[in-house]
Each structure stands twice: as structure tokens, then as C-alpha cells.
Amino acid sequence: MEIPKEHLVDMYETMVKIRRFEERIREMYFADKLPAFDIAAGLIPGEMHLAAGQEPVAVGMRPHLQPGDAITATHRPHHVAIAQGVDLNKMAAEIFGRETGLGRGKGGHMHLFSVEPNFGCSGIIGEGMPVAVGAALAFRFKGTDNIALSYFGEGAANQGAFHESINLAALWKLPVVFVCEDNAYAISVPKAASTAIPDNSDRASAYGIPGVLVSENDPVAVYEVMGAAMDRARRGDGPSLIEIKTDRLWGHFEGDADAYRDDEFKEEMNQRDPLVVFGQRLADEGILSADEQTAIQEAQHAIVEEALEFALASPYPKPEAALDHVFA
Amino acid sequence: MTTAATDRKLTMQKAIAEGIFQEMDVDPSVFVMGEDVGVYGGIFGSTEGLLAKFGPDRIIDTPISETGFIGAAVGAAINGMRPIVELMFVDFFGVCMDQIYNNMAKIHYFSGGNIKVPVVLTTAVGGGYSDAGQHSQTLWGMFAHLPGMKVVVPSSAYDAKGLMISAIRDDNPVVYMFHKGALGLGWMVNNPRATEPVPEEPYEVPIGEARIAREGTDVTVVTIGLSVHKALDAAETLESQGVSAEVLDLRSLVPLDRQAVINSVKKTQRLVVVDEDYQSFGMTGEIITTAVEGAFEYLDAPPVRVATPDVPIPYSHGLEEWTLPSTERIVAAAAGVASS
Ligand SMILES: Cc1ncc(C[n+]2csc(CCOP(=O)(O)OP(=O)(O)O)c2C)c(N)n1
Ligand SMILES: [Mg+2]
């Protein structure tokens, strides 16, 4: 497949932006929690699940998105939200618990909700899957050609919601693409210890829909497979199940000792860092020179800094605001 | 129950793991299932050290399939095993509640008492560290509302071990809730009381008996879980203000030690109920009703409750702090009741 240059550049830019965002959140998360780690302390208290390494699964769908498409994501949501174009300033402000955040500081990093673009996520495993089915159902009622993407980890594929949602979407031939981010681990539990078959994409056959395995953590491979599945859904031909092999470069959450993955595994994983590999490939193929990549990095890093500055300059909500917004 | 004096101190987390360890050592029908209970030792350390001793056949890491493995615990229990099954955070009950309240809690009754369901369902509860509305709830009132399950919530290491052993030996389903903030985890700020002497030998703490955590004469503060520590802190402040507070740690919600509430209210004639759970339709209402039914003529002032208002627990630190019961709110409530 011939991929337009602007799509390759866009994917690279977005990967750079995601990685920088995660790196900076990580720095700020730890900065004021050390030397004695206290999860409740600091500018960003609470749990923090970062997606460094999983950028390809998010950016590969980006060039195929259309305004109005819905996405549901997981407890590890930043990469998907950024790739969909969720307002980075408001997202950062939410993570810092500020009044200007997406949810006025009520939701936090696992509960990011955006109206435009249409994005939501959840801290409960598998929770977004039925919601994506419902979004697709609404699009059918409304007669639009929008589609819904449901992101979930390979750990979620053993949750009842996975099977119920895919069956519903298949039965009703709804425009949903189910995207399994297979980083091989659900916290400390390796996939082989949790899942009876090697590839979740094979489970698609149980529901009579296409199942496709993307075996490389590569934005171009994701671009191709997601493009076909998203076109198919948009045409009205029904849902697909995609499984993408990817890597969680860091711990499950920040502060995780990550002792359940051995050094050899981590070493190999770091060797295939998708941002490095993709940058190299773009340079080798003459698409983006080293200088051009540096310029992109500077520009994207500036966008991330601006979002963090916006967040840090924003006020906290008034404590009594806790009572607002329980009901419409 | 009295046991040999000991100087050895444990955190509540270590006391829970030790209780499980000792019962598994003597009873081959006890086993553990749950997410990350093996190599990880439980996200909150409740199964620390168990895999090394008992191996993966008895310490079983599960897929994220709560309906499946909690239901499987029920099935194993009615067929002669004594499973301990972990729901990582109580907030996740939503994906598996049917197995818990329609099955685990009802089979004994449906069988006319012929079938026993000795499951221990362990689960982490509580907020205060900005984990937001899907990882910070206590929800014990809801479990206590549904008939057929015992519900225990230790607040100290001594009780944690004794209640765990009692729960494993109990022939009923027991929901064993541990408050993250009372476990003595290395990655949270802890109350100094989180670590205390715990006997090395196995012992039981009876399910359904409250404990007077501090004696007092002017006002009774009834509570459970981490709020026991906040109430004890509040009692120190109150003492400096000339108010003598009695703190009653319920330890179990089902069965509920109503007599302990009544006795204490008869003594102090004033009542504050502190609950980290949502205010309406919950523990605070139940305890006040117990006092009104059993000690109405003794009450010198309307009882007061300090609870989480009926809103999802918010993320941002200031919002959450304002929402959850704090030592300051307990002091203000108890001082107000004592002076009225
Ligand atoms: C219903 C439910 N059960 C358990 C959890 C605890 N939990 C949070 S993340 C996680 C692992 C998820 O693994 P996976 O779906 O593969 O996503 P990853 O973290 O690898 O991105 C678990 C068990 C939860 N949040 N919700
Ligand atoms: Mg995973």
C-alpha cells in the first residue's frame, strides 16, 4: 500500500507528542513524591498508567478518523486520547486536578471524557466495550457514517463484556472496530497464564467477523489494518476485531517495581522501541531527515510544555464543587 | 480472646498474609484465587509470600474474569474446599455481583441449610489518595444490606489476623474488606497505629463483636475501617478540649454488635457515627436506628453523622479531602454533640 507522506509525518509527529507527554507526566509524577514514595502526595496524586511504547496502536488509526467518530479507551488512555485530538491543555489540567480540566478535576487520569472529539475511558477493565457498541447504535439511528473504536488491553479479552459486546456488534452489524492492545501483560499476569489461545484475533471467528493480527508494534502495519477495518465499518459491513502486539515500556503503573518481567525481556523490548525504529525507517526511506525529525521533536515538545504550563497555571476547583454535577 | 503477650509488631497487611499462611498450612482445603495474587503477592500485599510456600496450584493467578473465578470459588466451596478469593478493589464488584449476592449469599438459604458456602471474599476498600471514583469507595453498607454474607472490616493488625482466621474457619461466606490506608503499605503515609503487636500463633477474633478502641464518658463515636484511626486522633484533640470521647470500632457489620452500640450510648448519652461510605441508606442510619430503638430515653442530643456525601468520590485532592470524613469533621461533630 502506498501511504501518503503526510500520513507518515502525522503519525510520527503524534508519536513524538505522546511519548513526550508520557515522559513529562512521569517526571512530574515522581518529582514531588521522592525520596519516600507516597502515592497520595504531589502535583499528580493517585495511580498513573502510562502508555510509552504503545504509540503505534493509537496513531495508526488517526489518519482514517473522521469528525464525529467515537472512541472508548482504558485505564491507560493518554496515547489514544492524544491521537484522537482530545484537547491537550484540558487533558493535562484534568490530570493535575484543575478546574479547567476536561472534567473540572472530578475524573482524573483514568476518567477522561471529551465531547468533541468524542472520547471516553474507564478504570474498570472491559467497561468501554459495550459503550462503543452503543455509540455505533446511535450512529445508525442518526443515519451518520460515523464509527466507534473500542480500545482494550489483552487482559480485558477474558472479561464477559468482551464477548457480550462483540456478539452484539456482530449480530446487529454495527460500525465498531474492536482494538486489542496486546502488551503481553495484565499487571503481573502474562497473557499465556490468562488466555486459553495465543491470539485474541482468532476469537473473532466465534462471532463470524473478521479478526486480524498485527504482529508488529509498527504504525504502518496498524495504519493498513485499521484503515481496512474502519472503511469496512463505515461502509456498513459490520465490526472487526484487531489485535496488535505492542509493548508497555514502563511498569503497569508508576511506582510498580516491574519485578515480574525479567531483565532480558525488558532489554529486548527497549531495543525495539517503536519511536526509535519508526524514526530510523523514515530517515532510511528519505521521508524525514534527521534534521526534520529534530524540528518535529522541538515543535511537539513545545506543544506538550504549553499544555503543562496551562495546567499548572490553572486554579484548583473549590472544595464544595464536589457536590456539583451529580445530576444534570 | 486473650493470647500470649508479644513484642513482635506487624502491619495489617502482613497480619492478613500471616493469617492466610497459617490456615493454609494446616488445612489443605484452603486455597487462594485472584488477580496478581501470585508473583505480585496481591496488589495490596494480602498474599505476600504465599506463592513461594504453597506453589501455583494453591495460589492461583486468574485472568480478569471476576464473574468466572468468584463463581468458581462458590462452586469449589460447596464441593468441599475453603476458597479465599480476591476482588482487587471493591469498586469492581459491578462486573461480578451476581455471583456474590445471588449465588454465594443465597445458596445456603435456598438449600434449607443443607449446603454450606465457606468462601472468604477479600477486597480492598477506601479512598484518600486521589484514585478517583472507581477505585476509592468502601461500599460495605451495600454488601451488609444484602442478606447472607458476613461482612468484616478490620482496622488494626491484631484484628486483621484474628478476623482472617475466623473468616476462613467460618462455614458462611465472609466478605473481608481491608482499608488500603490502614494496611501499613510502604507507598502510603500511615498512621502510627498501623503497626502493632501481633501474636505469632494462630488465634481467632470473633466475627460480630465490636471493640472499644478508646474508653470515654461524654460522647460515643461509632465507626469502622480507617475512620477508627481518624476517630482516635479526633479523641485526642477532643480530650484537650475537655471532651471525653469513647470510640467504638464495629469490626463487623454483619453480624452487627448492636448491644455494644446500645451499651456505649447508655453510658455517654451522646452519639456520633462516622462512615467513609455514602451517607444515605447506609451504616450511619442503621447505627442511629439501633441507638434510638435500644437507648432512646438515654439520648441527650440528636445523633450526628459524619459520612461521605451522596456524590461519586472526586479525583482532585481538595475535592476528595472535603468529601471524605476527616479528623477535623469528627472533632467538630463530637464537640457539637457534647455541648448540646
Ligand atoms: C473489572 C476490573 N478488574 C480488575 C481491575 C484491575 N486492573 C487494572 S488494570 C489491570 C490489568 C489490565 O490489563 P490489560 O487489559 O492487558 O491492560 P494493560 O494494563 O496491559 O494496558 C487490572 C487487572 C480493574 N481495573 N477492573
Ligand atoms: Mg496488557
Side-chain angles (χ1 to χ4, degrees):
Chain A
M1 186 196 278
E2 191 60 42
I3 301 181
K5 180 179 170 183
E6 77 251 32
H7 288 178
L8 292 169
V9 173
D10 175 81
M11 290 195 290
Y12 180 72
E13 284 173 346
T14 310
M15 283 178 73
V16 170
K17 190 198 284 182
I18 293 168
R19 179 65 60 87
R20 184 61 166 190
F21 188 80
E22 299 297 62
E23 284 170 347
R24 293 288 285 135
I25 291 289
R26 188 187 212 201
E27 278 169 33
M28 300 182 101
Y29 183 80
F30 280 114
D32 45 15
K33 286 191 182 62
L34 298 175
F37 182 82
D38 170 14
I39 191 171
L43 279 171
I44 312 176
E47 276 180 80
M48 180 54 63
H49 312 84
L50 298 174
Q54 299 187 192
E55 295 88 354
V57 302
V59 303
M61 57 80 182
R62 191 178 139 83
H64 312 294
L65 271 181
Q66 291 194 3
D69 288 348
I71 300 185
T72 63
T74 71
H75 57 289
R76 194 181 305 289
H78 302 169
H79 56 319
V80 181
I82 292 172
Q84 198 193 7
V86 170
D87 186 313
L88 199 63
N89 289 12
K90 290 184 181 172
M91 181 171 143
E94 185 62 25
I95 293 168
F96 284 88
R98 306 300 167 121
E99 172 65 30
T100 52
L102 285 170
R104 299 185 164 97
K106 292 202 158 80
H109 126 90
M110 283 188 277
H111 315 104
L112 302 169
F113 289 89
S114 160
V115 177
E116 189 51 60
N118 185 339
F119 178 86
C121 58
S122 172
I124 305 294
I125 300 306
E127 187 138 270
M129 302 187 71
V131 178
V133 173
L137 189 61
F139 298 149
R140 172 174 296 168
F141 274 119
K142 294 199 280 190
T144 74
D145 70 347
N146 279 122
I147 63 173
L149 306 185
S150 165
Y151 277 82
F152 55 96
E154 91 295 335
N158 298 309
Q159 194 61 284
F162 168 93
H163 300 277
E164 297 181 22
S165 303
I166 298 179
N167 183 58
L168 277 182
L171 184 69
W172 297 336
K173 228 176 167 195
L174 290 170
V176 188
V177 182
F178 296 98
V179 189
C180 182
E181 306 182 64
D182 179 7
N183 59 16
Y185 279 85
I187 314 186
S188 70
V189 180
K191 187 183 187 187
S194 71
T195 310
I197 57 171
D199 298 315
N200 283 306
S201 48
D202 288 343
R203 291 175 160 180
S205 65
Y207 303 102
I209 64 170
V212 186
L213 178 68
V214 180
S215 53
E216 260 154 296
N217 194 22
D218 166 21
V220 171
V222 176
Y223 174 96
E224 290 173 353
V225 170
M226 285 299 290
M230 290 166 77
D231 283 350
R232 179 184 152 86
R234 223 182 282 289
R235 281 197 310 268
D237 290 343
S240 306
L241 171 60
I242 313 298
E243 177 161 71
I244 303 163
K245 303 278 181 202
T246 187
D247 284 316
R248 151 160 76 72
L249 290 180
W250 303 338
H252 171 73
F253 43 59
E254 294 310 304
D256 176 5
D258 204 352
Y260 46 83
R261 304 194 293 184
D262 63 28
D263 289 344
E264 198 185 307
F265 178 94
K266 284 183 243 186
E267 182 110 337
E268 275 178 24
M269 177 172 71
N270 288 325
Q271 298 277 317
R272 55 177 189 245
D273 181 332
L275 186 55
V276 176
V277 173
F278 190 46
Q280 190 60 51
R281 172 169 167 181
L282 293 175
D284 291 348
E285 292 179 4
I287 292 163
L288 283 173
S289 68
D291 285 349
E292 287 169 321
Q293 292 188 23
T294 306
I296 286 174
Q297 285 158 15
E298 281 167 9
Q300 295 302 320
H301 294 187
I303 292 170
V304 170
E305 288 316 305
E306 195 186 299
L308 297 175
E309 280 162 26
F310 171 83
L312 290 171
S314 295
Y316 284 105
K318 286 199 204 55
E320 317 82 81
L323 298 179
D324 300 340
H325 309 296
V326 180
F327 294 107
Chain B
M1 159 152 296
T2 49
T3 45
T6 176
D7 290 336
R8 187 193 60 146
K9 290 188 166 187
L10 288 185
T11 61
M12 191 161 117
Q13 173 258 317
K14 297 234 186 295
I16 292 171
E18 183 171 285
I20 299 175
F21 187 105
Q22 291 179 345
E23 284 305 286
M24 287 190 71
D25 215 16
V26 295
D27 184 349
S29 67
V30 180
F31 70 101
V32 179
M33 275 194 287
E35 291 152 20
D36 303 281
V37 297
V39 176
Y40 205 103
I43 294 298
F44 301 102
S46 56
T47 56
E48 191 181 270
L50 299 183
L51 179 70
K53 165 80 177 172
F54 300 108
D57 290 343
R58 291 180 74 196
I59 305 295
I60 306 171
D61 267 336
T62 60
I64 310 171
S65 308
E66 288 88 352
T67 286
F69 69 78
I70 293 175
V74 174
I78 65 183
N79 287 283
M81 304 301 286
R82 302 187 87 81
I84 300 169
V85 64
E86 182 151 298
L87 177 62
M88 190 187 291
F89 288 68
V90 74
D91 313 68
F92 308 160
F93 82 90
V95 300
C96 55
M97 195 60 171
D98 190 67
Q99 288 296 334
I100 296 170
Y101 91 110
N102 264 329
N103 220 15
M104 183 179 88
K106 292 180 182 167
I107 286 180
H108 180 70
Y109 186 79
F110 287 161
S111 75
N114 288 322
I115 294 176
K116 296 191 174 95
V117 192
V119 175
V120 180
L121 177 71
T122 58
T123 190
V125 301
Y129 62 103
S130 295
D131 220 357
Q134 296 176 339
H135 289 75
S136 300
Q137 302 165 98
T138 56
L139 300 178
W140 43 57
M142 191 192 60
F143 283 81
H145 179 67
L146 301 164
M149 299 173 264
K150 296 189 177 180
V151 178
V152 302
V153 191
S155 70
S156 72
Y158 179 90
D159 285 348
K161 178 172 169 182
L163 282 169
M164 176 55 77
I165 291 176
S166 296
I168 296 170
R169 294 179 185 172
D170 200 296
D171 278 340
N172 296 286
V174 179
V175 180
Y176 182 105
M177 300 178 143
F178 45 84
H179 197 298
K180 291 161 245 170
L183 285 171
L185 300 172
W187 39 282
M188 286 191 188
V189 168
N190 289 294
N191 189 297
R193 271 180 245 98
T195 307
E196 65 174 12
V198 174
E200 310 220 3
E201 70 276 14
Y203 60 93
E204 294 185 22
V205 166
I207 296 175
E209 272 185 30
R211 168 182 73 104
I212 296 173
R214 179 188 170 113
E215 301 227 30
T217 53
D218 298 336
V219 55
T220 295
V221 180
V222 175
T223 188
I224 200 161
L226 184 66
S227 296
V228 171
H229 297 275
K230 295 186 181 173
L232 288 169
D233 291 342
E236 284 171 21
T237 307
L238 287 161
E239 186 173 71
S240 70
Q241 299 175 2
V243 176
S244 165
E246 175 147 303
V247 177
L248 188 68
D249 177 359
L250 290 171
R251 303 195 291 190
S252 305
L253 285 182
V254 181
L256 179 62
D257 191 349
R258 295 184 195 271
Q259 198 55 50
V261 175
I262 292 166
N263 291 348
S264 183
V265 169
K266 283 183 176 170
K267 176 171 141 193
T268 66
Q269 307 190 334
R270 290 177 157 83
L271 175 62
V272 172
V273 189
V274 182
D275 188 7
E276 195 182 316
D277 206 349
Y278 303 118
Q279 174 158 314
S280 299
F281 310 102
M283 185 189 104
T284 52
E286 190 61 35
I287 297 301
I288 291 171
T289 304
T290 299
V292 167
E293 286 174 349
F296 181 66
E297 60 276 27
Y298 291 85
L299 282 167
D300 282 348
V304 170
R305 44 186 170 175
V306 177
T308 296
D310 301 329
V311 305
I313 297 176
Y315 162 70
S316 189
H317 176 69
L319 297 176
E320 186 192 25
E321 196 179 39
W322 187 84
T323 304
L324 300 180
S326 60
T327 301
E328 294 70 36
R329 277 173 68 196
I330 299 169
V331 169
V337 170
S339 68
S340 66

